[in-house]
Amino acid sequence: RARLTAIVLPDGASALVRFYRRGGMVRYLTRDLFWTWPPRPFVELAATEHARARNICTLEVVAACVERTWGPFYRGWFVTRELIGSRDLWEALRGENHTAAEKTALLKKVAGRIRWMHLQGIDHSDLNLKNLLVRREGTEIHVYIIDFDKARISSAPVSGRNAARNLARLYRSARKLDPNGCWFSEEEWKLFGRFYHESEFHET
């Protein structure tokens, strides 16, 4: 993922600009050019607004824009209001000396948010530790889910198979970032899975 650029909005708040870049081997050929239609920034805008309408905690979108280059190719940007004080889940797991109870509470909260997202019909096929943001608000930990450009929206809850695929993607992310399980152990992953399946989470 490209680095985020911070800008100041007219109301004095800050926003973050994300420039879309290719991943995988194709990035060596097309780098920052895309040809999918509708353009990825607009797909992510629509999916994010669907998520917000279904009471999924996510970022407020400020803008989505593209620049046509030549033929079907374009570059894209996505701008969101900055969530001050938030950290991605990977940073949160590494950045604090959590007590066992605090870490359990954090994992339970994240699992509940993902479960609620699936119940609301949002299949997030690129779920990973870096697109889960956590922020302490008062005495509560709040979890925000971001990067919906590859999400699929349905009027029915996500199927068990697709939910399992989302969770498997999250697990691969954890093992890639933390191969030795120093911050997110196998035992904690099993606990996380139990929280997900037992969750009675509601939007409030």
Side-chain angles (χ1 to χ4, degrees):
R1 175 188 293 179
R3 289 189 176 184
L4 300 176
T5 301
I7 60 174
V8 179
L9 299 174
D11 63 1
S14 59
L16 298 175
V17 182
R18 172 159 52 92
F19 180 50
Y20 285 85
R21 291 189 184 278
R22 284 284 184 182
M25 295 301 294
V26 73
R27 71 182 184 274
Y28 297 110
L29 298 175
T30 62
R31 308 183 82 177
D32 58 358
L33 294 179
F34 295 82
W35 59 85
T36 54
W37 202 263
R40 283 184 63 176
F42 301 157
V43 170
E44 185 167 359
L45 170 62
T48 303
E49 290 307 303
H50 275 296
R52 285 168 59 86
R54 298 181 188 192
N55 294 314
I56 308 300
C57 288
T58 187
L59 301 179
E60 179 185 347
V61 181
V62 175
C65 54
V66 298
E67 175 192 35
R68 296 295 291 267
T69 54
W70 52 274
F73 296 98
Y74 64 88
R75 295 184 177 93
W77 293 263
F78 198 68
V79 188
T80 55
R81 192 174 292 269
E82 185 177 7
L83 190 64
I84 303 295
S86 67
R87 294 185 293 174
D88 64 50
L89 181 57
W90 175 231
E91 291 178 331
L93 290 172
R94 290 186 305 158
E96 296 181 13
N97 293 319
H98 298 283
T99 65
E102 289 171 340
K103 197 167 190 180
T104 296
L106 174 61
L107 295 178
K108 186 173 184 179
K109 194 77 172 184
V110 174
R113 276 293 174 191
I114 295 173
R115 174 66 171 166
W116 174 252
M117 177 182 70
H118 287 159
L119 290 174
Q120 295 305 303
I122 300 176
D123 179 353
H124 196 313
S125 61
D126 193 28
L127 201 61
N128 62 67
L129 296 185
K130 289 186 169 291
N131 53 32
L132 294 165
L133 304 182
V134 298
R135 181 171 74 164
R136 184 172 293 279
E137 300 175 13
T139 60
E140 295 288 326
I141 296 174
H142 288 255
V143 179
Y144 296 78
I145 304 173
I146 63 173
D147 290 2
F148 287 99
D149 64 308
K150 295 181 181 179
R152 291 184 292 272
I153 312 296
S154 172
S155 58
V158 175
S159 69
R161 174 180 293 184
N162 288 340
R165 287 175 178 168
N166 287 188
L167 294 176
R169 174 70 180 87
L170 181 61
Y171 176 78
R172 291 196 301 274
S173 167
R175 291 290 70 86
K176 180 179 180 180
L177 293 168
D178 187 19
N180 297 319
C182 297
W183 291 280
F184 199 171
S185 68
E186 288 294 325
E187 292 75 17
E188 288 166 339
W189 175 258
K190 292 177 182 177
L191 182 64
F192 177 87
R194 195 186 83 198
F195 287 147
Y196 173 87
H197 291 290
E198 295 177 352
S199 175
E200 297 180 355
F201 184 81
H202 298 283
E203 74 271 26
T204 55

